[in-house]
């Protein structure tokens, strides 16, 4: 055994003293428009930005694999939305950079200017052009709204009656359409007693709960619309035409984040379920795989799915249904 150890040490020393420079050819790359946008019928006001931060139109451009410059958004794109007849129904211009219209000071976010409301079942084409780049485009048909049969929230006892930390169990049931392949997202938020949003915390999965089984691909679970990693799409592949149930332990804080801290108590929990297009479902899945493989040199390649012709990224569609639960 001693002889083997010496040989192994000599071999390791010899290998460490050899250095070989390998020139890797740069992969060919044609710069293209890169974009992310989820079309929906919701008006894009401040409430939209709060709920659907990840759905806003964002425009950038691709760069080569060996390019180390930080990639930023582009404010010089020409973007429009067209109906089935090819008529322009919406145009987009760079957002001002306010918190309601994108991250402060960050370029690349766009907002609509014509106030068009897309219709369920109709096809739409998004076209985006940057100076010197080929026009990128993608087409989708806006899916039908999901059907929420019921939703309940059962609070757990609070150890400290003066605490603003609340937890409980959220349950909802969908009636799935057997005539179509369906893809869903679900999330929730708080409203005051007049049904208006406030500055409370988001309604998130209670990761401290022993019964929480979050993060599994293929499980119907609550997402967070403001965190890319916490978006969990669900396909009805194994439940086509059946009733689909979501049960999740959740947590929220009723303390106010606004200046002065004077927030009313929340009166409702509003559950949102979105029907999303198949391309959006595939993109969200690929993004989760990409995040999961980050920093792992032995992980399988995890490229992001794309449905943009002559470009990269996602043009997805979503149609929402809501269910309002009165809080005790």
């Amino acid at each position: 055994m001693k002889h083997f150890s010496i040989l192994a040490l000599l071999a390791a020393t010899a290998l460490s003293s050899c250095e070989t420079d390998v020139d890797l050819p740069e992969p060919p790359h044609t710069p293209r428009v890169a974009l992310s946008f989820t079309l929906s019928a919701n008006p894009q006001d401040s409430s939209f930005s709060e709920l659907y931060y990840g759905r806003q139109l964002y425009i950038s451009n691709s760069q080569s694999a060996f390019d180390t410059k930080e990639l930023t958004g582009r404010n010089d794109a020409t973007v429009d939305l067209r109906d089935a007849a090819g008529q322009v129904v919406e145009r987009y211009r760079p957002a001002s950079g306010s918190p309601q219209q994108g991250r402060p000071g960050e370029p690349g976010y766009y907002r609509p200017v014509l106030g068009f409301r897309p219709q369920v079942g109709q096809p739409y084409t998004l076209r985006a052009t940057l100076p010197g780049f080929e026009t990128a485009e993608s087409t989708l048909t806006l899916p039908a709204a999901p059907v929420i049969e019921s939703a309940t929230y059962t609070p757990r006892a609070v150890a400290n009656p003066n605490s603003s930390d609340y937890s409980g169990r959220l349950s909802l049931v969908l009636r799935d359409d057997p005539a179509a392949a369906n893809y869903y997202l679900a999330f929730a938020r708080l409203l005051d007693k007049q049904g208006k949003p406030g500055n409370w915390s988001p309604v998130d999965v209670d990761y401290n709960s022993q019964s929480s089984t979050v993060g599994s691909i293929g499980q119907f679970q609550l997402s967070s619309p403001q965190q890319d990693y916490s978006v969990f799409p669900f396909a009805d592949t194994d439940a086509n035409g059946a009733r689909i149930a979501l049960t999740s332990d959740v947590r929220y804080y009723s303390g106010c984040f606004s200046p002065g801290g004077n927030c009313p108590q929340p009166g409702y929990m509003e559950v949102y379920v979105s029907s999303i297009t198949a391309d959006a479902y595939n993109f969200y899945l690929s993004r989760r795989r990409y995040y999961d493989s980050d920093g792992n040199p032995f992980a399988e390649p995890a490229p992001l799915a794309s449905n943009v012709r002559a470009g990269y990224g996602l043009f997805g569609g979503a149609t929402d249904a809501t269910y309002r639960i009165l809080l005790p």
Side-chain angles (χ1 to χ4, degrees):
M1 294 299 293
K2 184 180 295 185
H3 179 62
F4 175 80
S5 299
I6 293 175
L7 288 178
L9 178 61
L10 290 174
T13 303
L15 289 174
S16 65
S17 65
C18 296
E19 293 184 1
T20 303
D21 293 329
V22 178
D23 292 328
L24 295 176
E26 184 173 356
H29 172 253
T30 300
R32 297 190 183 279
V33 174
L35 63 87
S36 175
F37 183 42
T38 300
L39 183 70
S40 71
N42 305 77
Q44 293 196 30
D45 51 15
S46 59
S47 178
F48 178 94
S49 300
E50 174 197 351
L51 283 170
Y52 310 114
Y53 178 78
R55 292 186 183 180
Q56 297 179 84
L57 174 60
Y58 181 80
I59 303 285
S60 185
N61 61 269
S62 65
Q63 63 185 28
S64 67
F66 291 172
D67 194 338
T68 59
K69 296 193 301 292
E70 183 178 357
L71 193 60
T72 60
R74 299 282 297 265
N75 282 343
D76 54 345
T78 301
V79 191
D80 62 52
L81 185 73
R82 304 180 182 226
D83 62 15
Q87 299 296 315
V88 174
V89 294
E90 185 60 272
R91 300 183 189 278
Y92 302 85
R93 67 184 181 192
S96 64
S98 68
Q100 290 78 27
Q101 297 172 343
R103 294 175 183 172
E106 182 173 346
Y109 286 94
Y110 287 72
R111 62 184 179 91
V113 296
L114 302 180
F116 175 72
R117 299 287 293 273
Q119 301 298 310
V120 166
Q122 296 300 310
Y124 298 99
T125 298
L126 184 76
R127 292 185 180 178
T129 303
L130 286 170
F133 290 75
E134 185 178 358
T135 298
E137 67 175 40
S138 184
T139 301
L140 59 76
T141 298
L142 206 61
V147 178
I148 305 176
E149 283 197 345
S150 63
T152 59
Y153 172 72
T154 305
R156 284 202 292 270
V158 180
N160 180 2
N162 297 319
S163 172
S164 61
D165 183 359
Y166 292 84
S167 60
R169 173 157 292 191
L170 174 65
S171 300
L172 66 90
V173 177
L174 295 183
R175 186 170 71 240
D176 187 65
D177 180 6
N182 299 290
Y183 308 91
Y184 301 109
L185 287 174
F187 52 96
R189 66 168 178 170
L190 299 174
L191 303 174
D192 65 17
K193 295 181 179 179
Q194 285 70 46
K196 297 179 180 180
N199 291 314
W200 303 286
S201 76
V203 178
D204 287 326
V205 172
D206 185 359
Y207 292 97
N208 295 324
S209 171
Q210 296 298 317
S211 60
S212 288
T213 56
V214 296
S216 301
I217 291 179
Q219 176 187 350
F220 189 31
Q221 55 191 301
L222 197 68
S223 297
S224 174
Q226 309 233 353
Q227 299 178 15
D228 291 345
Y229 185 75
S230 299
V231 173
F232 304 103
F234 175 79
D236 69 347
T237 307
D238 298 324
N240 189 32
R243 283 172 169 78
I244 301 173
L246 179 153
T247 300
S248 178
D249 288 340
V250 298
R251 188 175 186 177
Y252 67 89
Y253 299 89
S254 64
C256 184
F257 294 156
S258 65
N262 296 318
C263 270
Q265 283 293 309
Y268 297 92
M269 181 179 294
E270 192 166 54
V271 179
Y272 283 70
V273 179
S274 303
S275 284
I276 59 175
T277 54
D279 286 333
Y281 171 80
N282 291 329
F283 177 84
Y284 294 142
L285 280 186
S286 69
R287 189 172 62 184
R288 282 197 57 79
R289 296 189 186 102
Y290 175 82
Y291 284 141
D292 288 341
S293 66
D294 183 36
N296 183 358
F298 304 107
E300 292 290 331
L304 291 175
S306 174
N307 69 336
V308 180
R309 296 183 294 277
Y312 301 103
L314 167 69
F315 177 44
T319 305
D320 305 311
T322 63
Y323 197 104
R324 191 170 291 183
I325 304 168
L326 179 65
L327 293 175

